[in-house]
Amino acid sequence: MNNNINPAALPVSSLYKRCDPAELPFSDTSELDHLDKYFGQERAVEALNFGVSIAHEGYNIFVLGPSGMGKHHMVSDFIHQIASEHPAPSDWCYVNNFEAPHQPKVLTLPSGMARQLEKSMEQCIEDLLVSIPAVFQSAEYKTRVNQINNEYSEKEQRALSELEEKARLQNISLIQTPTGYTLAPMVDGKVITHDEFRALSEEEQKHIETITAELKEELKKIVMKMPVWMKEGREQLKELNHEIVESTVKQVFQEQEQHYRDLPEVISFLKAAEQDIIENINYFKIDEDSAAPTDPKSQVKAFPMYTVNVLIDNSQSSTAPVIYENNPSLTNLLGRVEHEAQYGTLTTNFTLIKAGALHRANGGYLLLDALKLLTSPYAWDALKRALQSKEIKIESVSEILSLASTKSLEPQPVPLDLKIILLGDRLIYHLLQAYDPDFNQLFKVPADLSEDIDRTSQNSLKFARLIATIQQKEKLRPLDREAVARIIEEGSRRLEDAQKLSLHLNNLTDLICESDFFATQDESDIITRAHVQKAIDAAIRRLDQFKERVHESIIRDIQLVDTDGDKVAQVNGLSVYQLGEYSFGRPSRITAKARLGSGKVLDIERAVKLGGNIHSKAVMILSSLLANRYARNKPLPISASLVFEQSYGGVEGDSASIAEFCALISAIANIPVKQSLAVTGSLNQHGQAQAIGGINQKIEGYFAICSARGLTGRQGVLMPQANIQHLMLKQDVIDAVEKGMFHIYAVQSIDDALTLLMGMPAGEEQADGSYPNNSINARVMAQVDEWIALTKEFSAHSDENDDHDDKD
């Protein structure tokens, strides 16, 4: 049975959940112990602990949470604590591959030893630049070189002397000319001229020619042996140089080999460097006329092939690295090979290999922003390849796109062992889960941050400690407990839930900092409630110009909204404008038209493509409710239309369902609606009122219009009862309600709303399906029945006309 009693207006105590300062046992936040940054994040901390502790493949972490949660600082702080329990990882460096210089080798060394190896090699080269020239300029070396040269000269002179003596005995002289050696006949010990030779007898000439020919053959053999003797001399000289240099180089490298004897890879590099130096000793020789270098250290850079490129140096670290890469591009992640311009061409070598974030975080933890990573070309795929192959292979965009045909380096990949922590919102996480099959294999641990916690006395005190922690970190003034209470209340309001506390640390920090600013202006040593309120009001004022313009257009009747009187088929709906993190409410006129028709409700917003899918769904639901209520066993002979008047943008959401249904009922039953009341709320197919969002802004928006026009005591707002727990209204609204000048009603069903709006009982359905007389539902049923009768009458007339046509 329906008693047809209007729902009572909400008491002031339901409109705002105050934080009682008496429940905060301190004078100001300087008395409070600090609270860690994980307050309210127990679930996420458990996931982080699990993710960093499990050693199996693919257990990287994705931290889910909206921006403003302070997730980067929280996760960074947590990971640094974990990293402090682990030692610093190995150093990494690149060295020359003497067999294949385009494929530099990578060395791993204990923490701090890469820089030692670099200095050791520099010292070796510096020593060699002094010792090798000194060896070549030593008296011993010069003596042995002279011996080799003398040995060659002696061989040459001995052979020529023997030939010369043999020729002399046969009256032939061996003569040395600028072009070589020649043979000439002699008579009585003197070389004869050509004419004298022709004056000899023919027999004597033939004898001399025969002897000369034999001697020329012997001379030819001696001359042909000279290059062989010269080569033997060079080989002896080379062996001498090798012997001298090998001894010197081994002596220089001996100490280093002993120092790195437990590192086979380093020993292998040192041996290769030794051998290359010995084989290319001319790099270190100087001209005999040149002086030995006075500053060999300055010449070390001329020998890059023997240096060490320290990629990662952990000598200054005592814990595992924690790296946050703010710009996760391809090269910033994987590293790069730089080039130098020389004589108009680009050249490179292994010393120009630079580390990326993966190198720096290897053996530790790498934090990345998921959105930045995904929007950086090729970076996401490169990261996946690195995780799947467990190695860091330096790539460039030009190589990936096959744009570069020039020869470049192919550095040996670095083995990869680290944990990746991605930071992003829930949408990115679920999109990757749905559309990237590799994601689920590589990021198996979601750490979901909580956005709120229950607002209990215990949690309020912990929240106060969190405020104290932020105040101390930011070096701000302490806050008294009234200020802390106001911040707690504002947190609930921003969250749109009086039963919850917001965990958006960025917003909380901003509010405390801005409150401290106003305390500074007032020359106060402590932040009070008034300072917090000033900060809140100032933040709103910086953004509310658009709200003022919208409200002004309503107050000036540019946009038509009545706040008093009664109108048929016209209801004040409430909507919210969202501008980033700032939102405000405004009333909108919703009108309906109903007539005899085919049972369809036209959503004009949808018809002109200004209505969203959720709004269209809501209109379909109220159409179903309308048919089920008033024409369950018969066709509904109604054609109706609904529209948001003066709406020039999109309409979305279902929070106008109650208002639209009431406008339809008013249009059908021709019952006027109180324009002093505004309505918000969603409906289901059973006529129950459902909670909606932005309830505080909607109420305050309508109140602002009514207050500007003058409060009459009849104005108010209807809202779903489920939204009572979300009320955190401004003080001016609360004051007006307390004075009886404004009212807020909570409704459970559409009948409650109809009763309030139309000033008469809605009427409860009776056992026979009818409604009590003089009720709203009864008048609707009467109109429906009248339209049904008209439909039958029209149908009968149509049938009679058809019969007359047949007879004719």
Side-chain angles (χ1 to χ4, degrees):
M1 180 178 178
N2 189 350
N3 295 323
N4 298 325
I5 299 175
N6 288 351
L10 292 177
V12 172
S13 59
S14 298
L15 307 184
Y16 192 90
K17 184 178 180 181
R18 298 191 180 277
C19 177
D20 188 356
E23 295 180 358
L24 302 175
F26 57 89
S27 297
D28 60 64
T29 53
S30 63
E31 303 173 7
L32 296 175
D33 295 331
H34 293 176
L35 189 69
D36 60 42
K37 297 179 181 178
Y38 319 134
F39 173 53
Q41 304 296 349
E42 290 78 11
R43 185 197 309 273
V45 170
E46 288 175 10
L48 286 169
N49 261 319
F50 172 74
V52 298
S53 301
I54 189 168
H56 294 287
E57 182 180 351
Y59 283 88
N60 296 295
I61 305 168
F62 194 110
V63 180
L64 300 78
S67 60
M69 292 291 298
K71 52 181 175 288
H72 174 261
H73 292 292
M74 189 202 88
V75 173
S76 178
D77 180 73
F78 177 85
I79 296 299
H80 272 97
Q81 290 187 27
I82 298 296
S84 65
E85 302 171 2
H86 300 278
S90 302
D91 290 348
W92 294 93
C93 60
Y94 273 106
V95 295
N96 192 14
N97 182 351
F98 297 99
E99 296 179 356
H102 69 287
Q103 295 177 327
K105 292 183 177 180
V106 67
L107 300 181
T108 176
L109 298 94
S111 176
M113 291 195 70
R115 196 64 69 185
Q116 291 182 26
L117 179 61
E118 179 189 35
K119 293 179 179 179
S120 297
M121 286 303 298
E122 289 177 355
Q123 187 62 50
C124 286
I125 301 303
E126 188 178 336
D127 292 344
L128 290 173
L129 284 170
V130 174
S131 59
I132 290 178
V135 168
F136 282 114
Q137 291 180 348
S138 65
E140 179 186 356
Y141 175 76
K142 289 180 179 180
T143 300
R144 295 184 64 177
V145 169
N146 288 334
Q147 288 176 352
I148 294 172
N149 292 335
N150 291 337
E151 185 179 345
Y152 165 74
S153 298
E154 287 175 0
K155 286 183 179 180
E156 181 180 348
Q157 290 300 322
R158 189 183 306 115
L160 291 173
S161 297
E162 291 175 356
L163 180 61
E164 183 180 12
E165 180 62 24
K166 182 178 180 180
R168 186 182 63 78
L169 293 174
Q170 299 183 56
N171 291 322
I172 301 295
S173 176
L174 179 64
I175 302 172
Q176 185 174 6
T177 68
T179 59
Y181 293 91
T182 186
L183 296 168
M186 294 188 303
V187 174
D188 296 331
K190 294 181 180 181
V191 177
I192 62 176
T193 64
H194 181 70
D195 290 339
E196 291 175 337
F197 175 74
R198 290 297 180 189
L200 296 176
S201 65
E202 185 175 346
E203 183 178 348
E204 287 178 326
Q205 289 182 21
K206 286 184 178 180
H207 176 72
I208 292 172
E209 288 176 352
T210 301
I211 293 173
T212 302
E214 291 176 358
L215 292 173
K216 280 185 177 180
E217 285 298 322
E218 292 186 28
L219 178 60
K220 182 179 179 182
K221 290 179 180 179
I222 292 173
V223 172
M224 291 181 66
K225 285 182 179 180
M226 287 181 181
V228 176
W229 295 335
M230 191 179 295
K231 180 180 179 182
E232 290 175 355
R234 286 198 305 269
E235 290 294 332
Q236 290 178 2
L237 185 60
K238 186 175 180 181
E239 289 177 6
L240 173 62
N241 290 343
H242 188 280
E243 177 187 341
I244 295 292
V245 170
E246 184 176 25
S247 174
T248 303
V249 172
K250 286 186 177 296
Q251 187 176 356
V252 169
F253 276 87
Q254 185 177 7
E255 182 182 349
Q256 306 306 331
E257 291 176 2
Q258 182 64 23
H259 182 69
Y260 299 103
R261 63 184 180 276
D262 296 329
L263 301 172
E265 291 182 342
V266 176
I267 295 297
S268 176
F269 164 66
L270 293 175
K271 294 288 187 185
E274 280 182 36
Q275 189 61 36
D276 192 76
I277 291 171
I278 293 170
E279 292 175 358
N280 297 278
I281 196 61
N282 289 333
Y283 293 158
F284 295 86
K285 290 178 68 175
I286 60 175
D287 297 335
E288 292 185 4
D289 298 335
S290 303
T294 57
D295 184 17
K297 183 175 291 187
S298 63
Q299 297 186 16
V300 171
K301 292 183 179 179
F303 300 89
M305 68 287 287
Y306 304 121
T307 58
V308 174
N309 179 10
V310 178
L311 200 67
I312 296 298
D313 174 24
N314 288 310
S315 59
Q316 304 301 317
S317 302
S318 58
T319 64
V322 180
I323 303 297
Y324 172 69
E325 178 53 60
N326 187 47
N327 179 22
S329 64
L330 177 68
T331 54
N332 285 352
L333 283 177
L334 299 183
R336 64 191 182 278
V337 178
E338 295 182 342
H339 293 75
E340 292 179 332
Q342 291 185 353
Y343 306 108
T345 61
L346 293 177
T347 63
T348 187
N349 58 62
F350 73 93
T351 64
L352 297 177
I353 299 173
K354 305 301 179 183
L358 288 174
H359 296 99
R360 297 196 302 274
N362 205 6
Y365 309 89
L366 177 59
L367 280 64
L368 298 171
D369 183 276
L371 182 60
K372 292 179 180 178
L373 177 66
L374 292 169
T375 53
S376 182
Y378 308 106
W380 172 242
D381 288 335
L383 177 63
K384 290 193 296 181
R385 284 194 297 271
L387 292 175
Q388 290 165 342
S389 63
K390 298 182 182 179
E391 63 181 22
I392 311 169
K393 182 180 179 182
I394 296 178
E395 301 175 286
S396 66
V397 174
S398 59
E399 290 174 351
I400 293 173
L401 298 178
S402 300
L403 296 178
S405 59
T406 56
K407 187 176 180 180
S408 185
L409 297 182
E410 298 175 12
Q412 180 183 354
V414 176
L416 181 64
D417 180 20
L418 83 171
K419 288 284 185 180
I420 303 286
I421 298 97
L422 290 184
L423 309 173
D425 59 34
R426 294 183 179 88
L427 176 61
I428 293 177
Y429 175 79
H430 292 300
L431 285 174
L432 287 171
Q433 266 201 327
Y435 295 106
D436 191 334
D438 296 328
F439 178 75
N440 292 323
Q441 299 302 316
L442 296 174
F443 292 88
K444 298 181 179 180
V445 183
D448 196 357
L449 296 179
S450 299
E451 297 182 53
D452 55 61
I453 57 170
D454 292 335
R455 184 177 159 185
T456 63
S457 298
Q458 183 180 7
N459 284 341
S460 293
L461 182 56
K462 288 182 178 180
F463 198 80
R465 291 174 57 197
L466 179 62
I467 293 172
T469 303
I470 296 172
Q471 170 247 314
Q472 181 66 28
K473 177 190 172 186
E474 300 295 332
K475 299 180 180 179
L476 306 175
R477 292 168 174 77
L479 297 86
D480 65 20
R481 58 183 179 182
E482 291 280 352
V484 171
R486 182 65 188 91
I487 290 176
I488 290 173
E489 294 166 359
E490 181 63 16
S492 293
R493 174 179 166 83
R494 290 184 179 183
L495 201 60
E496 296 187 5
D497 194 334
Q499 309 300 322
K500 297 288 184 179
L501 284 172
S502 174
L503 295 178
H504 284 244
L505 296 184
N506 287 3
N507 291 341
L508 177 60
T509 302
D510 291 345
L511 179 56
I512 298 172
C513 290
E514 291 165 18
S515 301
D516 181 77
F517 170 80
F518 287 103
T520 303
Q521 285 193 328
D522 289 348
E523 298 181 352
S524 173
D525 294 331
I526 200 165
I527 299 174
T528 66
R529 185 184 185 96
H531 298 137
V532 175
Q533 189 61 51
K534 283 183 180 180
I536 295 170
D537 294 340
I540 293 173
R541 177 164 175 75
R542 289 193 292 268
L543 291 169
D544 69 349
Q545 183 171 196
F546 182 62
K547 180 195 75 173
E548 292 176 359
R549 295 288 181 266
V550 172
H551 286 184
E552 181 185 6
S553 68
I554 295 174
I555 295 168
R556 295 171 59 192
D557 292 329
I558 297 171
Q559 293 190 1
L560 302 178
V561 174
D562 293 332
T563 54
D564 207 359
D566 301 287
K567 295 288 180 63
V568 174
Q570 179 176 303
V571 178
N572 290 330
L574 298 174
S575 57
V576 171
Y577 280 59
Q578 188 75 40
L579 305 172
E581 294 187 359
Y582 176 70
S583 59
F584 67 91
R586 59 150 291 179
S588 299
R589 175 178 289 180
I590 299 173
T591 61
K593 291 295 180 182
R595 62 189 183 282
L596 180 63
S598 59
K600 291 183 179 180
V601 176
L602 173 64
D603 177 9
I604 294 178
E605 306 293 340
R606 177 70 172 179
V608 297
K609 298 182 180 179
L610 287 178
N613 293 331
I614 298 176
H615 179 259
S616 299
K617 174 187 174 183
V619 173
M620 292 178 184
I621 288 174
L622 66 87
S623 299
S624 174
L625 175 61
L626 188 69
N628 185 65
R629 273 197 161 213
Y630 306 115
R632 190 177 303 163
N633 300 315
K634 50 195 173 186
L636 183 65
I638 297 174
S639 284
S641 61
L642 285 167
V643 70
F644 277 72
E645 300 290 358
Q646 293 182 289
S647 169
Y648 307 108
V651 175
E652 181 60 306
D654 62 354
S655 64
S657 300
I658 294 178
E660 289 173 324
F661 191 87
C662 291
L664 275 176
I665 295 301
S666 174
I668 294 169
N670 199 32
I671 302 174
V673 174
K674 295 178 181 177
Q675 300 301 295
S676 57
L677 299 177
V679 188
T680 184
S682 171
L683 273 180
N684 62 25
Q685 291 191 104
H686 300 288
Q688 295 171 314
Q690 300 175 143
I692 44 82
I695 187 63
N696 294 296
Q697 289 79 8
K698 290 177 178 179
I699 294 173
E700 289 163 2
Y702 186 65
F703 173 81
I705 301 301
C706 295
S707 179
R709 289 178 171 173
L711 295 175
T712 63
R714 297 183 296 274
Q715 294 140 334
V717 172
L718 280 63
M719 51 166 265
Q721 190 174 49
N723 279 119
I724 294 176
Q725 59 191 316
H726 302 140
L727 291 177
M728 290 293 290
L729 294 170
K730 289 182 177 179
Q731 190 60 44
D732 54 353
V733 180
I734 296 172
D735 293 341
V737 170
E738 191 170 18
K739 295 175 182 177
M741 300 303 292
F742 195 77
H743 310 281
I744 299 172
Y745 303 93
V747 299
Q748 290 183 302
S749 67
I750 187 60
D751 287 337
D752 292 340
L754 290 170
T755 300
L756 284 165
L757 285 172
M758 299 179 185
M760 59 187 299
E764 185 176 355
E765 184 179 9
Q766 299 178 356
D768 60 356
S770 64
Y771 291 93
N773 293 331
N774 298 320
S775 67
I776 298 171
N777 288 325
R779 291 182 61 171
V780 175
M781 285 289 286
Q783 183 61 60
V784 169
D785 290 339
E786 179 181 339
W787 281 338
I788 290 174
L790 288 173
T791 301
K792 291 179 178 178
E793 182 178 343
F794 292 150
S795 178
H797 282 301
S798 177
D799 290 341
E800 288 179 5
N801 290 335
D802 290 342
D803 290 341
H804 285 301
D805 290 340
D806 291 340
K807 290 178 181 180
D808 293 339

